[in-house]
């Protein structure tokens, strides 16, 4: 058999490819499947966090900020532990990014506060002198789209078996139940903010975009 293969280079190359491919599949796929599962403690986004994520995408925050910490000391020293594939299990779409005009935000919830984000989004240079980032004052006057976020949560729950409502996971429930949960989550953020217009809007039952965005940024840990 081996003598025959040596005399037929094409078939020899095919045989080598098959053997290597099979070995690669046996070695890689089980580990790949394991790493694709959510890491322990990872939870789906709440409805308010999803609404903030929509704003993050709509305003192209991912054009200047990556969410992918590479396993290099220079990155882990600055941003925290390197990213693992299972940490993106509930991200649709991924927001890895392709450049960093600004810093990586994958673990920004570990070292920035609601108060910091409020000041930064209203006037970036007030907290980061020389910042190139524009101000996003419109987020303080426009309402977050909670209904679309709730619809997305329902869709991914059914389509991808996202474990909403399981023990230890965010609760989804009916629309009325979701609104109550959004209100409670938003209230904790609004209480830590200084902007009076945002506070007054919340008292009227309105949730500003900045509140939803901060909820999303605070979840990135």
């Amino acid at each position: 058999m081996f003598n025959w293969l040596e005399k037929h280079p094409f078939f020899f190359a095919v045989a080598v490819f098959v053997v290597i491919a099979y070995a690669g599949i046996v070695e890689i796929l089980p580990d790949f499947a394991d790493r694709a599962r959510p890491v322990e403690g990872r939870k789906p986004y709440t409805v308010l966090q999803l609404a903030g994520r929509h704003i993050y995408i709509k305003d192209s925050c991912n054009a200047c900020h990556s969410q992918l910490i590479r396993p290099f000391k220079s990155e882990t020293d600055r941003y925290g532990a390197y990213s693992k594939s299972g940490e993106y299990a509930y991200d649709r779409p991924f927001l890895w990014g392709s450049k960093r005009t600004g810093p990586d935000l994958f673990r920004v919830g570990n070292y920035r506060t609601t108060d910091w984000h409020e000041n930064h989004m209203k006037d970036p240079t007030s907290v980061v002198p020389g910042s190139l980032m524009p101000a996003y004052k419109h987020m303080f006057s426009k309402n977050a789209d909670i209904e679309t976020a709730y619809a997305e949560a329902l869709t991914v729950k059914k389509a991808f078996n996202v474990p909403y409502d399981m023990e230890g996971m965010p609760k989804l429930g009916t629309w009325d139940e979701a609104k109550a949960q959004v209100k409670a989550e938003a209230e904790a953020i609004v209480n830590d903010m200084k902007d009076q217009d945002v506070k007054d809007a919340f008292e009227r039952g309105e949730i500003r975009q900045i509140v939803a965005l901060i909820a999303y940024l605070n979840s990135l840990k």
Side-chain angles (χ1 to χ4, degrees):
M1 178 63 177
F2 291 107
N3 290 335
W4 183 86
L5 286 174
E6 289 178 355
K7 295 176 182 178
H8 297 81
F10 173 77
F11 293 104
F12 181 80
V14 170
V16 170
F17 173 79
V18 170
V19 170
I20 293 176
Y22 177 77
I25 290 172
V26 170
E27 179 66 25
I28 294 172
L29 281 187
D31 186 61
F32 179 82
D34 181 64
R35 290 177 182 272
R37 297 188 181 97
V39 296
E40 185 177 354
R42 201 68 177 177
K43 297 180 181 180
Y45 296 110
T46 66
V47 173
L48 184 62
Q49 290 164 4
L50 277 177
R53 194 169 193 267
H54 293 168
I55 296 163
Y56 183 95
I57 294 171
K58 177 181 70 67
D59 283 7
S60 297
C61 299
N62 53 310
C64 294
H65 296 279
S66 63
Q67 288 191 31
L68 181 63
I69 304 171
R70 296 170 295 181
F72 305 135
K73 188 176 187 300
S74 59
E75 300 218 356
T76 56
D77 284 349
R78 181 176 182 184
Y79 301 120
Y82 65 85
S83 307
K84 304 173 183 64
S85 58
E87 293 181 292
Y88 300 96
Y90 302 122
D91 283 28
R92 297 177 179 85
F94 302 124
L95 298 176
W96 292 330
S98 59
K99 63 180 296 187
R100 287 180 185 160
T101 303
D104 187 276
L105 299 180
F106 191 55
R107 303 200 189 282
V108 69
N110 288 331
Y111 54 87
R112 297 300 187 199
T113 63
T114 293
D115 180 65
W116 191 93
H117 287 307
E118 177 184 10
N119 294 324
H120 187 234
M121 299 305 293
K122 185 178 290 185
D123 180 11
T125 57
S126 68
V127 291
V128 183
S131 174
L132 300 176
M133 184 174 127
Y136 288 86
K137 295 181 180 179
H138 65 276
M139 293 184 183
F140 292 78
S141 58
K142 293 185 177 181
N143 289 338
D145 187 353
I146 304 301
E147 290 187 30
T148 297
Y150 176 70
E152 179 182 342
L154 282 178
T155 300
V156 298
K157 178 183 178 181
K158 295 176 182 178
F160 300 103
N161 295 317
V162 175
Y164 283 110
D165 301 327
M166 290 182 62
E167 184 177 356
M169 295 294 184
K171 303 300 179 185
L172 198 54
T174 65
W175 170 235
D176 287 337
E177 291 171 334
K179 285 193 294 184
Q181 291 155 15
V182 166
K183 182 179 179 181
E185 186 178 355
E187 184 175 17
I189 294 172
V190 171
N191 287 341
D192 288 337
M193 295 180 67
K194 295 182 176 66
D195 191 285
Q196 193 58 48
D197 289 339
V198 172
K199 292 178 178 290
D200 292 342
F202 182 76
E203 291 299 321
R204 297 193 301 268
E206 301 172 3
I207 297 174
R208 297 298 197 221
Q209 289 184 354
I210 185 63
V211 177
L213 180 68
I214 290 175
Y216 172 63
L217 294 174
N218 287 345
S219 75
L220 299 178
K221 299 181 178 181

